[in-house]
Amino acid sequence: MSPLNSPQREAVRYLDGPLLVLAGAGSGKTRVITEKIAYLIDSCGVSPGHIAAITFTNKAAREMQERVARLLSGRQVNGLTISTFHALGVRIMREEAAMLGYKPNFSILDAGDCFSILADLAGSVDKSGIRKLQGLISRWKSALLSPDQARRQACGASEVLAAQVFASYAATLRAYQAVDFDDLIALPVALFEDFPAVRDKWQNRLRYLLIDEYQDTNAAQYRLLRLLAGPRAAFTAVGDDDQAIYGWRGADIANLRGLADDYPNLRLIKLEQNYRSTVRILKAANALIGHNEKLFDKKLWSNLGHGDPITVSICRDSEKEAESVVMKLQAHRFEHGGAFRDYAILYRGNFQARALEQQLRQQRIPYLLSGGQSFFEKSEIKDITSYLRLLANGDDDPAFLRAVATPRRGVGVTTLQALGAYAGERRRSLFEAAGEQGFVPRVSARQLAPLLEFCAFIERLRARAAAEPPAVLLTDLVAAIAYEAWLFEHDEARAARAKLANVREFCDWLGKKGDEEGKTLIELTQTMALLNRLDKQDADLDAVRLSTLHAAKGLEFRHVFLIGVEEGILPHREAEADQRIEEERRLMYVGITRAQRSLHLSYAEKRQQGRERVACQGSRFIDELGRDDLRFSGGGEEAVANKATGADRLAALRAMLAKAR
């Protein structure tokens, strides 16, 4: 423990009650958590099976697992729980499914599957409206509201209608023996509140809790933690109120404020030494976040030297901004001899990435797009793979539900609800239950016929899949379900053509893979989980990282370019109306504190909005950074005065870079 600083060491060793570690950006919070796990096991004799570290992302959980393994030098830590909230919820529900009326292999539906169910229940093809409905229901669930409670609290006719759909949606999932991601938290909460013996069992099993990114918890997650901690209250919560940027998805910073009320003996330890950034970067970050109302006083400091001034570039328009950023990045890299992976370009919204991508491709600079959608996560690819998954495994209920509804094959929601209820009673998969005689009386002959035809279609494909080339079978599958026609019915022509091209690319690729490896479609599909790993966005690649500010949280880069620092973008134009300026300021703070050695801000004087070019002004956050350490260039009179020399410098820079290639 000697390399730890004094507050870190205190946080690791404190075991006399509940502890809140207020961990500033770059202050070593993950190290505190992993060192504390090792300390509990090595020095305190706590069994690994009694410890649970809970975080928000699989990436963070993997990093913790790797660090703990290194700290404990490969010793066995059987039973140690390091997982996301949702993974812990799955574990609890799988073990206690019967108590909640579910079969142990209940289905977990992803957002796309749930979107389709909501669209059917709402009787709507308005994708934007369905997404808003889905978000509202998610917020209700995260607040632990039942459909009845949501209806009573609904404001206006639209929310009343949404609450009615919520009730139907909840009943449909229950009938399908399925849950969505929000249920993975809400249902364990209900389980522990309704069954004290089950709650006591889990409290005795998980005796010490460590919670990462505590400021991002919502009401349901906080309730789950309190129920797990119980009267023993043996936990360490690690968080930072200055990095609470997920209020829009239900995270509640009040959970930080309320800890001291719920646990009067709560100990508070602050980690304020930053091991990431230079003094100038931290000075600007502290000045910015000082404009927010503070839950806790905290000021980051660093021993990493004063560092370079922060640059602020004012550009003519968004295209010039993208060009300027890419040229400056090239010049900086050339001058300092760094790698592409040392650089990140951060922005408020994904729409800002397009101009950057064009410039990076033009300059032949490798880049990775964080937060972008993997090819295998596209809805049209998941539609086709649902059939393949069902061919490989008839017990795959989520695949069954997606395939039978995409395209809709005459099997309605009522039929599927009846099938789900019967399958739950019989502890069978949906596919297996559909073929049982006991199900026949549950629905009319008119309802049963298309369901049996769908199952027969899958069986015919499965029989062919054992012998025929994958390319032939895939072509026949897409044709047999009339997927092309369905796409053009449900999407605009341009979007439908793009999706169809992706499906053809996927089928060609999988067919070719089958030919090269001599595998059947069933064999290929059984490795489909591995295919999802074929994401080209490998963190080890030497490439510039493009990322939204939200997706960049938890990451760090030697050099950061933060673009579009304008009123209306950062802070976002909707934030003022919704009184979320403080959260937008925290988002800017997160962006600034990703930088280790240099920080470069930019904004455009004009930006295209629809068919108009509108005037823009720099964000209020720039002034809030304090001007002492900022160096401005471009814009206004300076742009006119330096027009000739600026053009000369740009030409010289291009020549230099061309020569260096």
Side-chain angles (χ1 to χ4, degrees), residues 43 55 94 320 347 384 491 507 610 657:
S43 301
T55 187
R94 292 286 185 211
K320 284 295 180 186
Y347 38 81
I384 302 305
D491 284 292
C507 292
L657 292 170

PDB file of all heavy atoms in Angstrom, residues 43 55 94 320 347 384 491 507 610 657:
ATOM      1  N   SER A  43      -5.500  -8.861   4.090  1.00  0.00           N
ATOM      2  CA  SER A  43      -5.187  -8.391   5.448  1.00  0.00           C
ATOM      3  C   SER A  43      -6.317  -8.613   6.441  1.00  0.00           C
ATOM      4  O   SER A  43      -6.074  -8.695   7.645  1.00  0.00           O
ATOM      5  CB  SER A  43      -4.839  -6.901   5.417  1.00  0.00           C
ATOM      6  OG  SER A  43      -3.740  -6.669   4.564  1.00  0.00           O
ATOM      7  N   THR A  55     -20.185  -1.720 -10.700  1.00  0.00           N
ATOM      8  CA  THR A  55     -19.927  -0.545 -11.518  1.00  0.00           C
ATOM      9  C   THR A  55     -20.965  -0.458 -12.629  1.00  0.00           C
ATOM     10  O   THR A  55     -21.950  -1.201 -12.631  1.00  0.00           O
ATOM     11  CB  THR A  55     -18.489  -0.575 -12.063  1.00  0.00           C
ATOM     12  OG1 THR A  55     -18.211   0.660 -12.713  1.00  0.00           O
ATOM     13  CG2 THR A  55     -18.274  -1.728 -13.023  1.00  0.00           C
ATOM     14  N   ARG A  94     -31.840 -14.955 -11.753  1.00  0.00           N
ATOM     15  CA  ARG A  94     -31.721 -16.350 -12.199  1.00  0.00           C
ATOM     16  C   ARG A  94     -31.865 -17.304 -11.012  1.00  0.00           C
ATOM     17  O   ARG A  94     -32.502 -18.350 -11.111  1.00  0.00           O
ATOM     18  CB  ARG A  94     -30.362 -16.579 -12.871  1.00  0.00           C
ATOM     19  CG  ARG A  94     -30.156 -15.872 -14.201  1.00  0.00           C
ATOM     20  CD  ARG A  94     -30.918 -16.491 -15.339  1.00  0.00           C
ATOM     21  NE  ARG A  94     -30.587 -15.859 -16.603  1.00  0.00           N
ATOM     22  CZ  ARG A  94     -31.423 -15.724 -17.621  1.00  0.00           C
ATOM     23  NH1 ARG A  94     -32.659 -16.190 -17.524  1.00  0.00           N
ATOM     24  NH2 ARG A  94     -31.062 -15.147 -18.736  1.00  0.00           N
ATOM     25  N   LYS A 320     -14.671  24.620 -41.676  1.00  0.00           N
ATOM     26  CA  LYS A 320     -13.347  25.158 -41.383  1.00  0.00           C
ATOM     27  C   LYS A 320     -12.851  24.705 -40.009  1.00  0.00           C
ATOM     28  O   LYS A 320     -11.653  24.513 -39.790  1.00  0.00           O
ATOM     29  CB  LYS A 320     -13.368  26.695 -41.450  1.00  0.00           C
ATOM     30  CG  LYS A 320     -13.390  27.244 -42.865  1.00  0.00           C
ATOM     31  CD  LYS A 320     -12.099  26.898 -43.596  1.00  0.00           C
ATOM     32  CE  LYS A 320     -12.101  27.430 -45.027  1.00  0.00           C
ATOM     33  NZ  LYS A 320     -10.907  26.975 -45.781  1.00  0.00           N
ATOM     34  N   TYR A 347     -16.802  15.862 -28.652  1.00  0.00           N
ATOM     35  CA  TYR A 347     -17.890  16.735 -29.082  1.00  0.00           C
ATOM     36  C   TYR A 347     -19.153  16.384 -28.312  1.00  0.00           C
ATOM     37  O   TYR A 347     -19.270  15.306 -27.714  1.00  0.00           O
ATOM     38  CB  TYR A 347     -18.121  16.614 -30.590  1.00  0.00           C
ATOM     39  CG  TYR A 347     -17.953  15.204 -31.121  1.00  0.00           C
ATOM     40  CD1 TYR A 347     -18.970  14.264 -31.019  1.00  0.00           C
ATOM     41  CD2 TYR A 347     -16.736  14.805 -31.691  1.00  0.00           C
ATOM     42  CE1 TYR A 347     -18.802  12.974 -31.485  1.00  0.00           C
ATOM     43  CE2 TYR A 347     -16.556  13.505 -32.155  1.00  0.00           C
ATOM     44  CZ  TYR A 347     -17.590  12.599 -32.051  1.00  0.00           C
ATOM     45  OH  TYR A 347     -17.421  11.314 -32.490  1.00  0.00           O
ATOM     46  N   ILE A 384     -31.969 -10.496 -39.008  1.00  0.00           N
ATOM     47  CA  ILE A 384     -31.581 -11.735 -39.693  1.00  0.00           C
ATOM     48  C   ILE A 384     -30.950 -12.720 -38.717  1.00  0.00           C
ATOM     49  O   ILE A 384     -31.232 -13.922 -38.751  1.00  0.00           O
ATOM     50  CB  ILE A 384     -30.607 -11.428 -40.856  1.00  0.00           C
ATOM     51  CG1 ILE A 384     -31.260 -10.461 -41.857  1.00  0.00           C
ATOM     52  CG2 ILE A 384     -30.189 -12.721 -41.564  1.00  0.00           C
ATOM     53  CD1 ILE A 384     -32.597 -10.915 -42.415  1.00  0.00           C
ATOM     54  N   ASP A 491     -39.664   1.789 -43.801  1.00  0.00           N
ATOM     55  CA  ASP A 491     -38.657   2.848 -43.798  1.00  0.00           C
ATOM     56  C   ASP A 491     -38.765   3.680 -45.061  1.00  0.00           C
ATOM     57  O   ASP A 491     -39.333   3.234 -46.077  1.00  0.00           O
ATOM     58  CB  ASP A 491     -37.239   2.241 -43.725  1.00  0.00           C
ATOM     59  CG  ASP A 491     -36.885   1.739 -42.338  1.00  0.00           C
ATOM     60  OD1 ASP A 491     -36.733   2.570 -41.430  1.00  0.00           O
ATOM     61  OD2 ASP A 491     -36.765   0.510 -42.167  1.00  0.00           O
ATOM     62  N   CYS A 507     -24.859 -11.265 -45.423  1.00  0.00           N
ATOM     63  CA  CYS A 507     -25.107 -12.602 -45.972  1.00  0.00           C
ATOM     64  C   CYS A 507     -23.947 -13.060 -46.856  1.00  0.00           C
ATOM     65  O   CYS A 507     -23.531 -14.227 -46.795  1.00  0.00           O
ATOM     66  CB  CYS A 507     -26.413 -12.615 -46.766  1.00  0.00           C
ATOM     67  SG  CYS A 507     -27.891 -12.391 -45.752  1.00  0.00           S
ATOM     68  N   GLY A 610     -30.206  22.857 -40.894  1.00  0.00           N
ATOM     69  CA  GLY A 610     -31.167  22.646 -41.972  1.00  0.00           C
ATOM     70  C   GLY A 610     -30.636  23.297 -43.241  1.00  0.00           C
ATOM     71  O   GLY A 610     -29.517  23.046 -43.685  1.00  0.00           O
ATOM     72  N   LEU A 657       3.811  18.685 -43.946  1.00  0.00           N
ATOM     73  CA  LEU A 657       3.185  17.398 -43.662  1.00  0.00           C
ATOM     74  C   LEU A 657       3.288  16.461 -44.861  1.00  0.00           C
ATOM     75  O   LEU A 657       3.500  15.255 -44.716  1.00  0.00           O
ATOM     76  CB  LEU A 657       1.722  17.608 -43.259  1.00  0.00           C
ATOM     77  CG  LEU A 657       1.512  18.309 -41.913  1.00  0.00           C
ATOM     78  CD1 LEU A 657       0.048  18.677 -41.723  1.00  0.00           C
ATOM     79  CD2 LEU A 657       1.983  17.428 -40.759  1.00  0.00           C
TER      80      LEU A 657
END
